[in-house]
Amino acid sequence: GLAVLPNSDDDNDASSSIFRQAGQATADDGPVRRTITMYRDGFTVDDGPYRRLDDPNNAEFLSSLARGVTPRELSEGGEDVTVGLVDKRGE
C-alpha cells in the first residue's frame, strides 16, 4: 500500500493528486519498504537517481501513484511492498 508523510500545504501542482490518493490508503507492514521522495520537478526512489516529472519514461510510474496503485517496478517479484511518500515539493 501507499503511505504518506505530509509536510506541505501546497496543493496547487500536478503531483498533488499523488498525495491525495496515497493519503486515502492504509500502510501495510509488508516485508519490503520503498520510499519515494517527491520534489517540485521530480522524485527519487529510495537512494536512487533523481527522476524528472516531465520525463516520458516516468509517466507510467507517476500515473500509478496518482491512482493510488503501487507502481509495477516497485512490486516486481510479487512481494508485498509498503510504499512511503515524502513530500519535499517545496524544495
Side-chain angles (χ1 to χ4, degrees), residues 2 17-18 21-22 59-70:
L2 298 174
S17 65
I18 292 170
Q21 287 295 327
E60 181 181 348
F61 186 96
L62 293 167
S63 177
S64 294
L65 287 179
R67 292 190 320 271
V69 176
T70 300

Side-chain angles (χ1 to χ4, degrees), residues 1-6 15-30 32-38 45 60-75 80-86:
L2 298 174
V4 172
L5 303 173
S15 60
S16 294
S17 65
I18 292 170
F19 285 93
R20 278 194 300 276
Q21 287 295 327
Q24 295 170 5
T26 59
D28 298 328
D29 290 328
V32 178
R33 178 165 175 81
R34 308 297 300 269
T35 301
I36 301 168
T37 303
M38 298 294 297
V45 178
E60 181 181 348
F61 186 96
L62 293 167
S63 177
S64 294
L65 287 179
R67 292 190 320 271
V69 176
T70 300
R72 184 181 334 170
E73 73 181 69
L74 299 184
S75 60
D80 285 337
V81 179
T82 298
V83 179
L85 290 175
V86 178

